[in-house]
Amino acid sequence: MAVQAMNKSISTFMIIVAGMLFSMSAMAYDGSGLWLPAARQGDKATVISDVKGRKAAIAVQELRDLWRGGESVTLRIKRDKSLGAEGYRIIPGDGNVTVTANNATGLLYGAYHLLRMQSAGVGLDSVVTEVPAFDLRVLNHWDNLDGTIERGYAGESLWKWEELPGKISPRYKDYARANASIGINGVVLNNVNASSRILSREYLEKVKVLADIFRPYGIKVYLSANFAAPMQLDSLPTADPLDKNVARWWKEKCNEIYRLIPDFGGFLVKANSEGQPGPCDFGRTHAEGANMMARALRPHGGKVMWRAFVYSPADADRAKQAYIEFQPLDGKFDDNVIVQIKNGPVDFQPREPFSPLFGAMPATPQMAEFQVTQEYLGHANHIAFLAPMWEEFFGFVKPESLGAVAGVANIGDDDNWTGHPMAQANWYAFGRLAWDPSLTSREIVKEWLPATVYGGTAMPDDVKSGLEEMMLCSREAVVDYMMPLGLHHLFAFGHHYGPEPWCNPEGARPDWLPSYYHRADSAGIGFDRSPSGSNATAQYPEPYRSLYASASTCPDELLLWFHHLPWNYKMRSGATLWDELCRSYERGCITVSDMQKAWTAAKPYIDPQLYTDVETRLATQARDAQWWKDACLLYFGEFSGMPLPADVTAPVHTLEQLRAVDLGITNFESPSTSLLNSKR
Ligand code: GCW
């Protein structure tokens, strides 16, 4: 796949990181520099290239400013089919490193590869050949035209629509550069809950400006399209995809877009999902709707990314619904449609099994949608490094079976881009895995930490590995203190931050309520999706179908996703289900306190502002972990009627106190520290 280091050692040189002294300490740290090295003062590196154009010029400039390897770098176009449109080869030599590719895009990626090795302190002692696993590696922004971001926790939208096209924020270029440095080559600018206005002439002229800025960084622009746009923008009486006038409207709209943006990528569509319009409103199928748009894009080479995130109550189990609606459409989509499927069958929970739709539509191109923004993993308050979640996914769904990957961005206009400084790692990891899904989480964190957090400092190895562990265990910690053993959707209504397993607002859709998912009663807990329950397990291919169907073979981490079991059910460990549940919550809290210790140990080596920011957020995370543990154990304890095992510490809250916390639909307030302290 992507990395084939040829065993032809030409020369060995260590890239010198010392000397590039931790420039952050000299400047005020604001996190805006991400993982990219700061420009050095004085001498420029020698870069040799006769490749024309903006892209190559950027590659040359980046290396001149940032390469500190000592060797000169030569960038050269060299035809090589095996490298495709974006791959590159890096060849070390005596006093010179050569990067070759079929085009300037490959050279740009090669340049960023060299800089990445430099930041990670990795020596280049053999030829490196890289080809991306997916042609399309795209960020989905859920940004609204009014500047708000759905599920965004890092400020407002980066896109200043009211200023465009006249005023151009320097951050547009910084954003493109950051993406290019990790191989992201597509950007959907607006929310899938799409305003039709993005397709108006006025907005397309703004979009064009962004597309022009992104192009030299190898990034194409895509837009989320509202299926009812012909009705909303131009008062057509219908948006029926089989109506000639509707089809003509989309063709003309595409012609208009491509006149402005010749390399426009295409549309992302959320149709007939959560109230969005779609072809089913007119008695047509998802395929008929998608194909109509695909035919308007086809002459221009554009694509439709059609989301499979649907859950109309065709079945009593929400986890089955997307499969029921989409699987029968296999083979019915045009070949420039790609069906975009969330990693799990419900909705970006801290842990889900993979969606059974993957692999179930062999005649249809598919892509995976990950959520980089932490809607369900503690927003911008918790460290939850998500590479392990995505690595887990690729353990089930083979990259070869996918045409592309998308990530719902965690980026906003905060100075540090992502709210939580450590959440930059998730943007980074998404890009790296979209390029090379065979990378391990550890490999990624070993690149990201020195590039972002401690590069050039004298941090001792044990402190470094403490930070690596802190990142690597963080997602599992969130699972443990929020929803262990396959539990899911125990969140308070609306904001998806705090715990509210009892949540039951009047008139809410049952499948938005925790009790729909946990089904706790005096007999036990969990959602029976086995053949004796909803039989969702039957949607899975073997070996998973059989593995998940029986509680005795179902992995512990998915047990309550697939089974409703008695509180005293005997687990593999020998403990009862109740005791194991309690210990999982306890373990989650303990892990967060270990993460705090790892961070504290790193204090002398970290920029003070960064240190304090993360320290404060970790304190919130620790408090929230306790809140989750107490809420879930006190609430479920009312059903189990069983005491906490002796090795689990007592709650610091009472259920009454936690039920009284106002978790209003959009605002939340975690229980105050004073409440926690008073109980300790
Ligand atoms: O995860 C859920 C979110 C919605 C989102 C929806 C989707 C954009 O709670 O905010 O809407 O999924 O993916 O369409």
Side-chain angles (χ1 to χ4, degrees), residues 192-464:
V192 287
N193 292 329
S195 161
S196 294
R197 275 215 300 159
I198 194 78
L199 297 178
S200 68
R201 179 77 192 191
E202 182 195 354
Y203 274 82
L204 290 175
E205 278 169 5
K206 300 168 190 271
V207 171
K208 173 194 161 49
V209 172
L210 295 176
D212 289 344
I213 296 169
F214 298 169
R215 188 171 299 113
Y217 288 93
I219 295 167
K220 281 189 186 177
V221 157
Y222 296 74
L223 294 175
S224 291
N226 184 307
F227 201 77
M231 299 169 76
Q232 294 175 6
L233 282 182
D234 285 315
S235 307
L236 263 63
T238 176
D240 180 350
L242 300 195
D243 182 286
K244 280 206 185 72
N245 292 327
V246 171
R248 181 174 327 119
W249 188 92
W250 283 105
K251 269 199 187 317
E252 283 170 5
K253 185 49 75 182
C254 288
N255 294 342
E256 182 187 356
I257 295 175
Y258 281 90
R259 274 195 299 275
L260 289 167
I261 308 165
D263 58 349
F264 178 66
F267 297 130
L268 169 63
V269 188
K270 172 176 179 177
N272 296 115
S273 162
E274 299 185 331
Q276 292 301 309
C280 310
D281 300 341
F282 309 95
R284 313 298 180 194
T285 66
H286 284 278
E288 286 167 324
N291 293 346
M292 182 274 295
M293 291 172 98
R295 285 165 201 168
L297 288 161
R298 168 170 293 285
H300 310 283
K303 275 191 175 21
V304 175
M305 296 175 284
W306 192 268
R307 294 176 92 225
F309 177 64
V310 295
Y311 53 105
S312 35
D315 185 275
D317 180 0
R318 175 171 165 188
K320 290 170 67 183
Q321 291 160 3
Y323 183 103
I324 291 172
E325 212 168 321
F326 270 79
Q327 200 285 327
L329 297 173
D330 186 28
K332 300 215 160 63
F333 291 94
D334 284 9
D335 62 6
N336 59 329
V337 177
I338 179 160
V339 175
Q340 179 166 320
I341 308 165
K342 288 188 181 182
N343 60 291
V346 171
D347 190 10
F348 296 138
Q349 297 303 293
R351 172 168 277 118
E352 297 196 25
F354 68 97
S355 163
L357 257 183
F358 289 109
M361 302 177 72
T364 306
Q366 296 188 327
M367 62 190 285
E369 178 178 320
F370 299 134
Q371 196 178 42
V372 188
T373 190
Q374 291 168 232
E375 173 181 358
Y376 293 103
L377 288 102
H379 297 186
N381 287 342
H382 297 195
I383 296 180
F385 179 53
L386 299 175
M389 182 193 302
W390 305 329
E391 193 184 343
E392 187 173 300
F393 172 84
F394 286 121
F396 292 100
V397 177
K398 293 294 143 227
E400 300 74 40
S401 69
L402 300 174
V405 281
V408 179
N410 61 348
I411 301 158
D413 70 356
D414 277 2
D415 286 348
N416 73 8
W417 304 88
T418 55
H420 200 309
M422 307 309 272
Q424 293 179 358
N426 289 333
W427 178 7
Y428 183 89
F430 170 73
R432 297 291 290 129
L433 282 170
W435 180 280
D436 181 1
S438 75
L439 287 170
T440 65
S441 304
R442 188 174 294 278
E443 284 169 324
I444 296 170
V445 92
K446 276 179 178 291
E447 286 177 8
W448 181 80
L449 273 174
T452 313
V453 176
Y454 65 76
T457 71
M459 185 182 282
D461 286 347
D462 61 325
V463 180
K464 287 182 186 169

Side-chain angles (χ1 to χ4, degrees), residues 22-23 107 109 142 156 166 174 237 255 293 314 324 342 363 372 412 418 438 443 518 537 561 617 622 639 649:
F22 194 38
S23 44
L107 295 178
Y109 288 139
W142 286 356
E156 298 240 297
D174 296 345
N255 294 342
M293 291 172 98
I324 291 172
K342 288 188 181 182
V372 188
T418 55
S438 75
E443 284 169 324
H518 65 65
T537 51
W561 184 284
R617 290 178 206 256
F639 297 101
T649 54

